[in-house]
mmCIF file of all heavy atoms in Angstrom:
data_model
loop_
_atom_site.group_PDB
_atom_site.id
_atom_site.type_symbol
_atom_site.label_atom_id
_atom_site.label_comp_id
_atom_site.label_asym_id
_atom_site.label_seq_id
_atom_site.Cartn_x
_atom_site.Cartn_y
_atom_site.Cartn_z
ATOM 1 N N TYR A 14 -6.726 17.917 4.901
ATOM 2 C CA TYR A 14 -7.386 18.243 6.162
ATOM 3 C C TYR A 14 -8.519 19.204 5.833
ATOM 4 O O TYR A 14 -8.303 20.276 5.263
ATOM 5 C CB TYR A 14 -6.377 18.897 7.123
ATOM 6 C CG TYR A 14 -6.964 19.303 8.448
ATOM 7 C CD1 TYR A 14 -7.258 18.348 9.411
ATOM 8 C CD2 TYR A 14 -7.199 20.635 8.755
ATOM 9 C CE1 TYR A 14 -7.779 18.711 10.639
ATOM 10 C CE2 TYR A 14 -7.717 21.014 9.984
ATOM 11 C CZ TYR A 14 -8.008 20.049 10.919
ATOM 12 O OH TYR A 14 -8.523 20.406 12.131
ATOM 13 N N TRP A 15 -9.740 18.802 6.162
ATOM 14 C CA TRP A 15 -10.943 19.568 5.865
ATOM 15 C C TRP A 15 -11.627 20.000 7.156
ATOM 16 O O TRP A 15 -11.638 19.259 8.132
ATOM 17 C CB TRP A 15 -11.930 18.712 5.076
ATOM 18 C CG TRP A 15 -11.483 18.365 3.686
ATOM 19 C CD1 TRP A 15 -10.481 17.509 3.338
ATOM 20 C CD2 TRP A 15 -12.028 18.854 2.476
ATOM 21 N NE1 TRP A 15 -10.375 17.438 1.977
ATOM 22 C CE2 TRP A 15 -11.317 18.252 1.421
ATOM 23 C CE3 TRP A 15 -13.054 19.741 2.180
ATOM 24 C CZ2 TRP A 15 -11.603 18.515 0.088
ATOM 25 C CZ3 TRP A 15 -13.336 19.989 0.843
ATOM 26 C CH2 TRP A 15 -12.610 19.390 -0.185
ATOM 27 N N VAL A 16 -12.225 21.195 7.143
ATOM 28 C CA VAL A 16 -13.024 21.677 8.268
ATOM 29 C C VAL A 16 -14.315 22.239 7.691
ATOM 30 O O VAL A 16 -14.285 23.128 6.830
ATOM 31 C CB VAL A 16 -12.294 22.760 9.084
ATOM 32 C CG1 VAL A 16 -13.189 23.289 10.191
ATOM 33 C CG2 VAL A 16 -10.998 22.208 9.675
ATOM 34 N N ASN A 17 -15.443 21.687 8.138
ATOM 35 C CA ASN A 17 -16.767 22.130 7.694
ATOM 36 C C ASN A 17 -16.882 22.153 6.172
ATOM 37 O O ASN A 17 -17.408 23.089 5.577
ATOM 38 C CB ASN A 17 -17.102 23.507 8.270
ATOM 39 C CG ASN A 17 -17.220 23.487 9.772
ATOM 40 O OD1 ASN A 17 -17.424 22.442 10.374
ATOM 41 N ND2 ASN A 17 -17.086 24.635 10.398
ATOM 42 N N GLY A 18 -16.373 21.114 5.516
ATOM 43 C CA GLY A 18 -16.507 20.983 4.077
ATOM 44 C C GLY A 18 -15.550 21.822 3.256
ATOM 45 O O GLY A 18 -15.655 21.863 2.034
ATOM 46 N N LYS A 19 -14.569 22.492 3.882
ATOM 47 C CA LYS A 19 -13.597 23.309 3.175
ATOM 48 C C LYS A 19 -12.198 22.769 3.444
ATOM 49 O O LYS A 19 -11.826 22.569 4.596
ATOM 50 C CB LYS A 19 -13.686 24.761 3.652
ATOM 51 C CG LYS A 19 -12.696 25.666 2.987
ATOM 52 C CD LYS A 19 -12.806 27.083 3.539
ATOM 53 C CE LYS A 19 -11.683 27.921 2.975
ATOM 54 N NZ LYS A 19 -11.447 29.117 3.757
ATOM 55 N N MET A 20 -11.440 22.534 2.363
ATOM 56 C CA MET A 20 -10.092 22.018 2.551
ATOM 57 C C MET A 20 -9.199 23.114 3.116
ATOM 58 O O MET A 20 -9.084 24.195 2.545
ATOM 59 C CB MET A 20 -9.495 21.484 1.255
ATOM 60 C CG MET A 20 -8.159 20.805 1.490
ATOM 61 S SD MET A 20 -7.466 19.897 0.106
ATOM 62 C CE MET A 20 -7.462 21.109 -1.163
ATOM 63 N N GLU A 21 -8.587 22.843 4.253
ATOM 64 C CA GLU A 21 -7.699 23.787 4.921
ATOM 65 C C GLU A 21 -6.242 23.548 4.535
ATOM 66 O O GLU A 21 -5.477 24.487 4.380
ATOM 67 C CB GLU A 21 -7.852 23.671 6.439
ATOM 68 C CG GLU A 21 -9.235 24.026 6.941
ATOM 69 C CD GLU A 21 -9.557 25.504 6.812
ATOM 70 O OE1 GLU A 21 -8.644 26.334 6.983
ATOM 71 O OE2 GLU A 21 -10.727 25.823 6.522
ATOM 72 N N VAL A 22 -5.858 22.280 4.430
ATOM 73 C CA VAL A 22 -4.481 21.913 4.095
ATOM 74 C C VAL A 22 -4.538 20.671 3.221
ATOM 75 O O VAL A 22 -5.300 19.752 3.482
ATOM 76 C CB VAL A 22 -3.653 21.599 5.369
ATOM 77 C CG1 VAL A 22 -2.246 21.175 5.011
ATOM 78 C CG2 VAL A 22 -3.629 22.791 6.308
ATOM 79 N N GLY A 23 -3.707 20.641 2.191
ATOM 80 C CA GLY A 23 -3.643 19.460 1.350
ATOM 81 C C GLY A 23 -3.452 19.836 -0.100
ATOM 82 O O GLY A 23 -3.413 21.005 -0.472
ATOM 83 N N ASP A 24 -3.348 18.834 -0.927
ATOM 84 C CA ASP A 24 -3.088 19.015 -2.331
ATOM 85 C C ASP A 24 -4.372 18.791 -3.123
ATOM 86 O O ASP A 24 -5.038 17.774 -2.960
ATOM 87 C CB ASP A 24 -2.009 18.022 -2.772
ATOM 88 C CG ASP A 24 -1.395 18.370 -4.106
ATOM 89 O OD1 ASP A 24 -1.907 19.292 -4.780
ATOM 90 O OD2 ASP A 24 -0.404 17.729 -4.469
ATOM 91 N N LYS A 25 -4.740 19.717 -3.978
ATOM 92 C CA LYS A 25 -5.937 19.578 -4.811
ATOM 93 C C LYS A 25 -5.638 18.856 -6.117
ATOM 94 O O LYS A 25 -6.539 18.439 -6.813
ATOM 95 C CB LYS A 25 -6.511 20.957 -5.141
ATOM 96 C CG LYS A 25 -7.053 21.691 -3.945
ATOM 97 C CD LYS A 25 -7.628 23.026 -4.364
ATOM 98 C CE LYS A 25 -8.125 23.793 -3.154
ATOM 99 N NZ LYS A 25 -8.701 25.091 -3.514
ATOM 100 N N LYS A 26 -4.365 18.733 -6.462
ATOM 101 C CA LYS A 26 -3.967 18.133 -7.734
ATOM 102 C C LYS A 26 -4.361 16.661 -7.781
ATOM 103 O O LYS A 26 -4.427 15.999 -6.749
ATOM 104 C CB LYS A 26 -2.461 18.247 -7.926
ATOM 105 C CG LYS A 26 -1.971 19.663 -7.995
ATOM 106 C CD LYS A 26 -0.464 19.675 -8.098
ATOM 107 C CE LYS A 26 0.059 21.090 -7.960
ATOM 108 N NZ LYS A 26 1.505 21.136 -7.894
ATOM 109 N N PRO A 27 -4.596 16.154 -8.991
ATOM 110 C CA PRO A 27 -4.872 14.714 -9.114
ATOM 111 C C PRO A 27 -3.714 13.887 -8.565
ATOM 112 O O PRO A 27 -2.560 14.317 -8.594
ATOM 113 C CB PRO A 27 -5.010 14.500 -10.620
ATOM 114 C CG PRO A 27 -5.283 15.849 -11.186
ATOM 115 C CD PRO A 27 -4.619 16.835 -10.265
ATOM 116 N N VAL A 28 -4.042 12.711 -8.109
ATOM 117 C CA VAL A 28 -3.038 11.797 -7.560
ATOM 118 C C VAL A 28 -2.168 11.307 -8.714
ATOM 119 O O VAL A 28 -2.672 10.736 -9.670
ATOM 120 C CB VAL A 28 -3.736 10.609 -6.875
ATOM 121 C CG1 VAL A 28 -2.717 9.593 -6.413
ATOM 122 C CG2 VAL A 28 -4.586 11.096 -5.735
ATOM 123 N N LYS A 29 -0.858 11.571 -8.629
ATOM 124 C CA LYS A 29 0.038 11.150 -9.701
ATOM 125 C C LYS A 29 1.242 10.369 -9.207
ATOM 126 O O LYS A 29 1.843 9.631 -9.957
ATOM 127 C CB LYS A 29 0.531 12.359 -10.489
ATOM 128 C CG LYS A 29 -0.552 13.036 -11.291
ATOM 129 C CD LYS A 29 0.019 14.150 -12.126
ATOM 130 C CE LYS A 29 -1.097 14.787 -12.945
ATOM 131 N NZ LYS A 29 -0.598 15.892 -13.755
ATOM 132 N N GLU A 30 1.624 10.578 -7.957
ATOM 133 C CA GLU A 30 2.816 9.900 -7.478
ATOM 134 C C GLU A 30 2.642 9.473 -6.025
ATOM 135 O O GLU A 30 1.829 10.015 -5.297
ATOM 136 C CB GLU A 30 4.037 10.799 -7.608
ATOM 137 C CG GLU A 30 3.950 12.063 -6.793
ATOM 138 C CD GLU A 30 5.145 12.976 -7.033
ATOM 139 O OE1 GLU A 30 5.538 13.149 -8.185
ATOM 140 O OE2 GLU A 30 5.651 13.501 -6.040
ATOM 141 N N ARG A 31 3.436 8.520 -5.659
ATOM 142 C CA ARG A 31 3.388 8.002 -4.287
ATOM 143 C C ARG A 31 4.210 8.900 -3.387
ATOM 144 O O ARG A 31 5.305 9.300 -3.745
ATOM 145 C CB ARG A 31 3.951 6.588 -4.261
ATOM 146 C CG ARG A 31 3.158 5.636 -5.117
ATOM 147 C CD ARG A 31 3.891 4.332 -5.255
ATOM 148 N NE ARG A 31 3.076 3.398 -6.022
ATOM 149 C CZ ARG A 31 3.504 2.249 -6.462
ATOM 150 N NH1 ARG A 31 4.737 1.862 -6.227
ATOM 151 N NH2 ARG A 31 2.706 1.460 -7.139
ATOM 152 N N VAL A 32 3.670 9.209 -2.220
ATOM 153 C CA VAL A 32 4.417 10.032 -1.273
ATOM 154 C C VAL A 32 4.885 9.238 -0.066
ATOM 155 O O VAL A 32 5.690 9.715 0.701
ATOM 156 C CB VAL A 32 3.588 11.251 -0.808
ATOM 157 C CG1 VAL A 32 3.352 12.189 -1.959
ATOM 158 C CG2 VAL A 32 2.305 10.842 -0.145
ATOM 159 N N SER A 33 4.379 8.047 0.135
ATOM 160 C CA SER A 33 4.815 7.246 1.277
ATOM 161 C C SER A 33 6.103 6.531 0.901
ATOM 162 O O SER A 33 6.360 6.329 -0.282
ATOM 163 C CB SER A 33 3.734 6.249 1.687
ATOM 164 O OG SER A 33 3.487 5.328 0.654
ATOM 165 N N PRO A 34 6.932 6.139 1.829
ATOM 166 C CA PRO A 34 6.672 6.138 3.260
ATOM 167 C C PRO A 34 7.023 7.450 3.947
ATOM 168 O O PRO A 34 6.902 7.557 5.165
ATOM 169 C CB PRO A 34 7.570 5.015 3.773
ATOM 170 C CG PRO A 34 8.739 5.059 2.848
ATOM 171 C CD PRO A 34 8.170 5.458 1.500
ATOM 172 N N ASP A 35 7.450 8.470 3.207
ATOM 173 C CA ASP A 35 7.901 9.708 3.831
ATOM 174 C C ASP A 35 6.790 10.721 4.064
ATOM 175 O O ASP A 35 7.065 11.861 4.386
ATOM 176 C CB ASP A 35 8.989 10.355 2.969
ATOM 177 C CG ASP A 35 10.225 9.489 2.899
ATOM 178 O OD1 ASP A 35 10.495 8.787 3.888
ATOM 179 O OD2 ASP A 35 10.895 9.506 1.870
ATOM 180 N N THR A 36 5.548 10.340 3.894
ATOM 181 C CA THR A 36 4.463 11.297 4.080
ATOM 182 C C THR A 36 4.217 11.563 5.556
ATOM 183 O O THR A 36 4.393 10.710 6.398
ATOM 184 C CB THR A 36 3.180 10.797 3.408
ATOM 185 O OG1 THR A 36 2.228 11.859 3.435
ATOM 186 C CG2 THR A 36 2.583 9.605 4.100
ATOM 187 N N GLY A 37 3.827 12.764 5.818
ATOM 188 C CA GLY A 37 3.443 13.133 7.169
ATOM 189 C C GLY A 37 2.000 13.593 7.121
ATOM 190 O O GLY A 37 1.309 13.380 6.139
ATOM 191 N N PHE A 38 1.566 14.249 8.160
ATOM 192 C CA PHE A 38 0.231 14.804 8.112
ATOM 193 C C PHE A 38 0.240 16.183 8.725
ATOM 194 O O PHE A 38 1.258 16.652 9.196
ATOM 195 C CB PHE A 38 -0.803 13.876 8.783
ATOM 196 C CG PHE A 38 -2.205 14.196 8.359
ATOM 197 C CD1 PHE A 38 -2.603 13.988 7.054
ATOM 198 C CD2 PHE A 38 -3.093 14.752 9.240
ATOM 199 C CE1 PHE A 38 -3.877 14.314 6.647
ATOM 200 C CE2 PHE A 38 -4.371 15.076 8.844
ATOM 201 C CZ PHE A 38 -4.767 14.854 7.544
ATOM 202 N N VAL A 39 -0.862 16.813 8.705
ATOM 203 C CA VAL A 39 -0.990 18.202 9.123
ATOM 204 C C VAL A 39 -0.549 18.374 10.575
ATOM 205 O O VAL A 39 -1.036 17.686 11.455
ATOM 206 C CB VAL A 39 -2.458 18.643 8.979
ATOM 207 C CG1 VAL A 39 -2.637 20.070 9.420
ATOM 208 C CG2 VAL A 39 -2.924 18.446 7.554
ATOM 209 N N ASP A 40 0.362 19.294 10.780
ATOM 210 C CA ASP A 40 0.765 19.578 12.154
ATOM 211 C C ASP A 40 0.809 21.083 12.406
ATOM 212 O O ASP A 40 1.276 21.519 13.438
ATOM 213 C CB ASP A 40 2.115 18.945 12.480
ATOM 214 C CG ASP A 40 3.236 19.485 11.625
ATOM 215 O OD1 ASP A 40 2.979 20.273 10.715
ATOM 216 O OD2 ASP A 40 4.381 19.105 11.883
ATOM 217 N N ASP A 41 0.316 21.873 11.451
ATOM 218 C CA ASP A 41 0.400 23.323 11.602
ATOM 219 C C ASP A 41 -0.967 23.998 11.678
ATOM 220 O O ASP A 41 -1.105 25.170 11.381
ATOM 221 C CB ASP A 41 1.219 23.922 10.467
ATOM 222 C CG ASP A 41 0.593 23.684 9.101
ATOM 223 O OD1 ASP A 41 -0.330 22.866 8.998
ATOM 224 O OD2 ASP A 41 1.041 24.331 8.142
#
Side-chain angles (χ1 to χ4, degrees):
Y14 179 75
W15 292 71
V16 177
N17 295 340
K19 179 182 173 199
M20 187 170 54
E21 297 291 325
V22 178
D24 196 352
K25 294 181 182 180
K26 298 176 188 173
V28 175
K29 292 184 179 179
E30 62 184 44
R31 299 170 177 170
V32 294
S33 63
D35 295 328
T36 189
F38 199 67
V39 179
D40 62 355
D41 62 347

